[in-house]
Amino acid sequence: MPSTLTENVRKTVLENGLTVLTKEVHTAPVVTVQVWYKVGSRNEEPGVNGIAHQLEHLMFKGTKNRPIQFGRLFSALGSDSNAFTSYDQTAYYGTVERNKLKALLVLEADRMQNSQIEPEQLASEKRVVISELQGYENSPEYRLNRAVMQAVFPNHAYGLPVGGTKADVEKFEVAQVEKYYRNFYSPDNAVLVVVGDFQTANTLETIKEVFGKLARRQGAGGRGTRGTRGQGDKENSYTQFPIPNSQFPIPHSPLPTPIVLREPGAGRLLQVVYPLPDANQPDVPALDVMDYIFTEGRNSRLYQALVESGLASEVTASVTSLRESGWYEILVTAGYKQDLKKIDSVLSRAIANVAEKGVTTEEVERAKIQLTADVILSNRDITSQAMRLGNDETTVGDYRYTERYLAAVSLVKPTDIVAVINKYLTKESRIVGFFEPTQKQITGVSDKPDSAQTTENFSPGVPVLPSEVAKYLPPVDLATDAIAQVLPQEYKLNNGLRILLLPDRSTPTLTLSGYIQAGTEFDPEERAGLAAFVADNLLNGTKSKNVLTIAKILAERGASLNFEVHREGVHIEGDSLAGDLPVILEILADVVKNSTFPAQELELHRQQTLTDLQLELDEPSEVARRIFVQSIYPKKHPLHTYPTEESLQQIQRQDVIDFKAKHYRPDTTVLALVGDFDVDKVRSLIQNEFGNWEVSGKAPILKYPPVSMPQKVMSVNPVLPGKAQAVTYMGFTGIKRYDPRFHAALVLNQILGGDTLSSRLGAEVRDRQGLSYGIYSYFQAGKNVGTFLIEMQTSPEDTSQAIASTRQILQQIHEQGVTLQEVETAKRTLISHYNVSLANPEELTDRILMNEVYGLDKVELHTFTDKIQKVTFEQVNQAARELLHPDQIVVVTAGPSVLVKKSIR
């Protein structure tokens, strides 16, 4: 399998130096286009930290040829587009239906050479970036990591935060950013990756036509320049130290004591970072195998030493391998009331123990299988495959890197693990950080609305006319082929279990998705958290297998199986290589039928859950969401209940056993499978494993009481000390999935806030005013209930204006409606996004599953786009009048104290 990662890949270098990687994948009629620039935070220094990231934001602002927000153009194409900045590169990517390939190429070529950086745009986008950085600052983990990384790499840009610092971002000037753009955004400093359903020869001709005319810039490229680290819309990374390949010096002076941050927060954190060599060094595969032995799964060494002992609630680790250096980072979340010094001591002892006594061949082989399976399973969709090629080519200069890397992984021996631990994980080289939270209280601001009014200097401008978008949109190839409409095969066992099977031979993998009607809606108020207790402990032992046996069986095959509780059900997620389907099904059947909930594991889980709750209540988005939902849905409503420390302490083992017996039933369970399998064999397997799952009595039924709308605007501001960014949720009750207005509501939502750059909210609040890093709206339409909500992140000083602007846009659409062109553009976008999503096996499996859960016809998989296409202009505006209520809205802002206007008009 690994060889298929680079099978069919063709590398071409144009005369202007542009490296082009193409890979034909004909499993679905979609393509991804990605442009990777060999520049990131590695190319920065203190004083201009964050300039790569700032430029990434500005690359969406328009060009000389197309003075229009590029997010609007991508949205009109239906492209699933985004960008990120990291240590070694900045990347821009979009995935579309195949007939729009040339249009995407034209847009990327245009902004490679013709981007315009205007003072007004820089000013608004600096506010957006600062809002984003404040969001990172809300996280104690981010603040601790930043302090530790500066100590690990004091003289290299890998020690700078990728996204930059507020102080540096505030000082950026147009001339600085333009110079950076001219220096680094050049064809000879870029890699273009195209993966998907196209013909290579024709596509290469198109690429030469579109990109070949771009001139390489004098002196462009980052060779030999300093580096910086960038953080874009999907990034989270850090920077490093130039280390000669011949030897590995320690790049910092050893610190005799840990770095200690005492700041507002919830949980205690321990972070340990060891410098490592760059990605091309031969020790990297052994280091990654070592990491899997230390932290992957219940049987891993550090999980056993720290989590199973109750010292920690979580331990994670990762090897980062970059162009000039690397590091190994271990992060431990302390258990309930546990001491960091003791945790650090146990951690050090566990690592030293492995160095002294070695590891078993069994451990090494299991880690190698897990690692290899993870690589294969994470490269099933075309966007991920292109990401792998782009990252390998820009980081180490070889798109075949992962292939070579996996071959080296297969050769790793137990002695190699001991060797790399002794070489790199030394006491002298490590930097340790402690996060010790100071006492804090969440203080609530009165939720009694008053009559204060504000007048903002705001008038929502006329939205950009769709005719303007059309003027700048590259032409689209109209020759499209019909998408093959293969439907899942549906079966039902005598006990009521429903199964949906869709064979897909494109990769030797399979994706399992499942649903059991046993969600948190069934939580008793005094034992809130019970449904999650059951779901989270299913894998902790059965009548025939203990927790470690179950974990070992899955780990030995690199397979995963998880249960995640939601309001309206427990979702099952699993994936594996194709040959391991019998194992996944056997474990799943065993745990849903025979789980025993050992008392020791339940108690350990309780302590972990209490720690998680502490951390959640320190997270502005979680606090805002909880208070928002509880402000809309009254007490005794199934959605009002949330776990508290008291309710978690009340849960007894018998409660867990009883809940499982009552709610885990075959007649409320649905399983969907997509992948490389024979349908008849799978039916036989499922019958053997699940056929004797017995059901007694009728399934519990829950009645949702009617909920009235708020009578006026309600504002609440729970204050979390030490937070830099505010998170706001605003909304009210919405429609259910079965509402006849559902598809019209989806179109309306796409226009209102479905995209953070091209929607009405995004264009005004985020793009023009620069008040929010991200603003989105949603109609969350469930089986029993629906909620309409808008979510945004803002600087505290911008929050009131952002809320006022948002409500005025709601008022405007509610009263005046939307335009015909907006409706047509939104429909095209939704249809394209849907078609692209079906090319991702996980999204496809989930759609098949939820269509069945909602009781929709199985042809919904392919008629959904027809239903969107048939939505009329009148239906969307009727939905706007009936479903948007700007004067009956709950507004919850969590984070720093903000000036909340109680009735903003």
Side-chain angles (χ1 to χ4, degrees):
M1 171 61 192
S3 65
T4 64
L5 292 173
T6 54
E7 198 173 48
N8 301 328
V9 176
R10 180 164 168 185
K11 180 174 179 177
T12 308
V13 181
L14 304 190
E15 288 183 14
N16 59 10
L18 178 70
T19 299
V20 181
L21 300 175
T22 55
K23 179 182 181 182
E24 292 184 31
V25 180
H26 299 291
T27 53
V30 296
V31 292
T32 188
V33 172
Q34 304 184 0
V35 179
W36 292 66
Y37 294 94
K38 298 174 190 175
V39 58
S41 60
R42 181 178 60 82
N43 305 90
E44 296 171 5
E45 57 192 18
V48 289
N49 182 203
I51 197 166
H53 177 222
Q54 183 70 69
L55 177 59
E56 175 225 311
H57 279 242
L58 290 165
M59 287 286 285
F60 285 87
K61 288 292 192 177
T63 65
K64 295 168 193 163
N65 305 325
R66 295 178 173 82
I68 185 172
Q69 163 59 256
F70 265 44
R72 289 184 173 278
L73 300 177
F74 293 134
S75 181
L77 284 174
S79 174
D80 186 4
S81 294
N82 212 323
F84 67 85
T85 310
S86 190
Y87 296 105
D88 291 337
Q89 62 270 115
T90 307
Y92 302 83
Y93 56 97
T95 304
V96 289
E97 295 155 310
R98 64 181 167 206
N99 63 312
K100 297 162 184 173
L101 170 58
K102 184 174 181 180
L104 269 192
L105 292 170
V106 168
L107 291 176
E108 290 298 353
D110 189 16
R111 64 176 173 175
M112 179 179 281
Q113 204 129 71
N114 302 312
S115 283
Q116 282 190 303
I117 298 162
E118 304 287 351
E120 185 181 342
Q121 293 177 337
L122 176 60
S124 75
E125 211 57 32
K126 278 160 67 170
R127 291 178 79 174
V128 170
V129 167
I130 287 167
S131 169
E132 179 183 352
L133 296 179
Q134 288 172 327
Y136 301 142
E137 291 288 340
N138 278 357
S139 162
E141 179 187 330
Y142 174 83
R143 303 199 301 271
L144 179 62
N145 181 273
R146 191 178 61 187
V148 171
M149 291 302 293
Q150 283 173 342
V152 175
F153 296 108
N155 303 310
H156 190 284
Y158 285 159
L160 301 172
V162 171
T165 62
K166 181 181 178 185
D168 282 1
V169 170
E170 285 175 334
K171 292 183 292 193
F172 291 152
E173 296 177 356
V174 169
Q176 274 180 304
V177 184
E178 280 183 336
K179 182 180 178 184
Y180 198 86
Y181 173 61
R182 287 195 305 273
N183 279 348
F184 294 107
Y185 280 60
S186 175
D188 55 322
N189 197 45
V191 176
L192 169 67
V193 187
V194 184
V195 175
D197 194 13
F198 59 85
Q199 298 300 320
T200 300
N202 296 345
T203 299
L204 280 174
E205 285 305 310
T206 304
I207 289 168
K208 286 171 185 172
E209 172 199 334
V210 173
F211 281 89
K213 59 193 175 191
L214 303 185
R216 68 172 85 204
R217 293 187 180 156
Q218 198 65 34
R223 291 167 292 282
T225 56
R226 280 196 59 77
T228 303
R229 127 190 165 186
Q231 244 168 323
D233 295 281
K234 286 204 176 175
E235 69 283 337
N236 192 357
S237 25
Y238 303 82
T239 327
Q240 36 214 94
F241 197 88
I243 294 170
N245 292 342
S246 57
Q247 54 184 15
F248 185 71
I250 296 166
H252 58 77
S253 302
L255 298 182
T257 55
I259 297 165
V260 181
L261 292 191
R262 288 190 176 87
E263 297 175 354
R268 292 181 176 84
L269 300 172
L270 163 68
Q271 186 162 52
V272 182
V273 175
Y274 299 88
L276 296 179
D278 65 84
N280 264 320
Q281 296 307 301
D283 286 334
V284 169
L287 285 162
D288 280 337
V289 175
M290 172 202 77
D291 173 42
Y292 271 67
I293 291 169
F294 275 148
T295 62
E296 186 65 26
R298 294 290 293 258
N299 290 282
S300 63
R301 293 297 188 101
L302 296 185
Y303 190 96
Q304 287 291 308
L306 297 170
V307 181
E308 289 289 350
S309 66
L311 284 172
S313 71
E314 186 178 26
V315 56
T316 59
S318 62
V319 173
T320 300
S321 303
L322 299 182
R323 190 165 169 171
E324 295 179 2
S325 182
W327 59 89
Y328 185 48
E329 172 187 337
I330 302 170
L331 180 70
V332 183
T333 304
Y336 201 50
K337 300 179 178 175
Q338 295 294 334
D339 178 65
L340 289 178
K341 286 183 180 174
K342 182 178 180 185
I343 291 171
D344 186 32
S345 173
V346 172
L347 170 67
S348 297
R349 264 206 317 276
I351 293 173
N353 187 51
V354 177
E356 289 166 18
K357 297 181 181 176
V359 292
T360 66
T361 302
E362 182 189 11
E363 281 179 298
V364 173
E365 292 307 310
R366 184 166 65 229
K368 285 155 61 171
I369 289 168
Q370 287 176 301
L371 197 163
T372 304
D374 280 352
V375 172
I376 294 168
L377 291 166
S378 65
N379 281 278
R380 287 179 291 178
D381 64 281
I382 62 164
T383 304
S384 300
Q385 290 177 44
M387 286 274 180
R388 177 77 61 175
L389 295 171
N391 185 69
D392 286 353
E393 185 68 25
T394 52
T395 303
V396 299
D398 180 8
Y399 71 87
R400 300 183 203 84
Y401 174 77
T402 297
E403 203 169 274
R404 290 193 286 111
Y405 162 83
L406 287 177
V409 164
S410 70
L411 301 176
V412 171
K413 304 184 296 295
T415 51
D416 298 328
I417 305 302
V418 174
V420 293
I421 293 172
N422 286 323
K423 187 173 180 181
Y424 300 111
L425 272 56
T426 64
K427 270 189 179 176
E428 299 74 40
S429 68
R430 72 183 204 138
I431 295 288
V432 180
F434 288 176
F435 181 85
E436 293 278 9
T438 53
Q439 275 306 109
K440 67 163 195 67
Q441 292 290 322
I442 295 177
T443 54
V445 172
S446 168
D447 60 357
K448 292 184 178 142
D450 65 25
S451 58
Q453 294 188 4
T454 65
T455 50
E456 300 287 353
N457 180 17
F458 164 77
S459 61
V462 179
V464 175
L465 293 173
S467 58
E468 281 287 287
V469 177
K471 182 167 79 174
Y472 296 118
L473 204 60
V476 171
D477 179 6
L478 297 177
T480 58
D481 300 328
I483 297 172
Q485 299 195 346
V486 183
L487 292 173
Q489 299 183 40
E490 191 171 344
Y491 305 98
K492 189 172 183 179
L493 301 189
N494 291 336
N495 56 14
L497 177 71
R498 288 166 286 162
I499 304 132
L500 298 134
L501 304 175
L502 183 62
D504 172 12
R505 308 285 186 183
S506 58
T507 64
T509 63
L510 60 91
T511 304
L512 166 72
S513 198
Y515 173 96
I516 303 172
Q517 194 176 314
T520 60
E521 61 187 1
F522 291 110
D523 271 352
E525 187 177 354
E526 71 283 1
R527 288 178 176 78
L530 177 57
F533 249 69
V534 177
D536 294 342
N537 282 279
L538 284 171
L539 289 161
N540 283 352
T542 66
K543 293 171 184 173
S544 60
K545 302 176 189 73
N546 67 22
V547 58
L548 295 181
T549 303
I550 293 170
K552 185 179 172 187
I553 290 170
L554 292 170
E556 283 174 344
R557 289 155 179 83
S560 70
L561 181 63
N562 297 296
F563 297 84
E564 189 174 332
V565 72
H566 296 269
R567 281 288 176 195
E568 291 190 323
V570 172
H571 287 246
I572 305 164
E573 294 172 0
D575 55 27
S576 74
L577 302 181
D580 296 320
L581 176 58
V583 176
I584 286 253
L585 290 176
E586 191 222 327
I587 296 289
L588 174 61
D590 192 22
V591 299
V592 296
K593 291 187 297 186
N594 305 313
S595 49
T596 53
F597 305 109
Q600 184 180 347
E601 297 295 339
L602 279 180
E603 200 48 48
L604 184 62
H605 177 73
R606 188 196 314 276
Q607 298 310 311
Q608 292 169 350
T609 305
L610 288 167
T611 302
D612 291 344
L613 178 64
Q614 272 189 328
L615 297 173
E616 272 184 28
L617 296 180
D618 185 54
E619 183 61 51
S621 60
E622 291 292 333
V623 172
R625 184 172 62 90
R626 180 183 281 226
I627 294 177
F628 170 74
V629 170
Q630 290 186 324
S631 300
I632 293 175
Y633 299 102
K635 286 188 175 179
K636 306 300 180 190
H637 190 282
L639 264 65
H640 187 89
T641 306
Y642 276 88
T644 63
E645 185 174 337
E646 293 72 28
S647 72
L648 293 172
Q649 296 284 17
Q650 288 292 319
I651 296 170
Q652 303 299 312
R653 179 169 179 263
Q654 194 59 46
D655 299 323
V656 174
I657 292 168
D658 292 346
F659 186 98
K660 157 76 169 38
K662 183 176 181 182
H663 296 285
Y664 281 67
R665 310 164 50 96
D667 53 347
T668 63
T669 299
V670 184
L671 298 179
L673 268 170
V674 173
D676 185 6
F677 56 75
D678 177 273
V679 170
D680 290 335
K681 286 181 182 173
V682 173
R683 284 186 65 185
S684 175
L685 273 171
I686 291 175
Q687 178 64 49
N688 289 341
E689 296 293 351
F690 294 91
N692 63 351
W693 187 7
E694 295 178 358
V695 60
S696 60
K698 292 191 174 178
I701 295 175
L702 200 62
K703 288 200 172 178
Y704 273 65
V707 177
S708 56
M709 292 284 294
Q711 291 307 298
K712 46 192 167 184
V713 177
M714 289 181 57
S715 296
V716 192
N717 176 202
V719 176
L720 280 70
K723 300 303 178 187
Q725 185 194 59
V727 177
T728 298
Y729 275 69
M730 49 199 300
F732 31 76
T733 53
I735 58 172
K736 299 176 190 176
R737 176 62 180 86
Y738 312 107
D739 193 293
R741 298 165 294 183
F742 174 74
H743 295 92
L746 290 182
V747 177
L748 171 64
N749 186 70
Q750 181 65 27
I751 296 166
L752 171 64
D755 182 285
T756 201
L757 291 177
S758 66
S759 64
R760 289 267 193 113
L761 289 174
E764 181 60 36
V765 179
R766 197 261 194 214
D767 202 45
R768 190 180 80 79
Q769 297 188 64
L771 298 176
S772 173
Y773 169 55
I775 181 166
Y776 298 93
S777 62
Y778 312 89
F779 280 96
Q780 294 181 334
K783 283 169 64 178
N784 300 306
V785 72
T787 307
F788 170 76
L789 65 93
I790 296 168
E791 177 186 4
M792 67 175 116
Q793 306 99 37
T794 52
S795 297
E797 60 271 20
D798 291 335
T799 301
S800 291
Q801 187 182 346
I803 292 169
S805 299
T806 299
R807 285 196 54 234
Q808 290 193 31
I809 290 169
L810 281 175
Q811 190 82 43
Q812 186 185 54
I813 294 180
H814 172 68
E815 292 176 355
Q816 300 169 25
V818 297
T819 67
L820 178 61
Q821 293 94 333
E822 282 181 308
V823 170
E824 292 306 313
T825 300
K827 283 159 60 173
R828 283 198 305 274
T829 301
L830 287 169
I831 289 167
S832 183
H833 280 175
Y834 183 82
N835 288 335
V836 168
S837 77
L838 295 187
N840 182 313
E842 288 175 355
E843 292 190 51
L844 171 62
T845 313
D846 195 55
R847 287 191 186 278
I848 290 170
L849 174 80
M850 294 314 293
N851 285 346
E852 177 66 24
V853 168
Y854 289 132
L856 306 174
D857 194 305
K858 64 179 179 181
V859 299
E860 173 76 13
L861 189 66
H862 297 298
T863 58
F864 174 84
T865 52
D866 296 334
K867 291 173 182 174
I868 293 292
Q869 187 59 53
K870 287 174 182 170
V871 170
T872 65
F873 168 63
E874 292 76 19
Q875 287 172 333
V876 176
N877 281 326
Q878 182 182 349
R881 290 190 299 274
E882 294 174 359
L883 302 179
L884 300 182
H885 309 282
D887 296 322
Q888 297 173 278
I889 194 166
V890 170
V891 182
V892 178
T893 300
S897 180
V898 299
L899 182 62
V900 176
K901 304 300 182 185
K902 297 297 193 299
S903 188
I904 304 169
R905 296 194 179 279

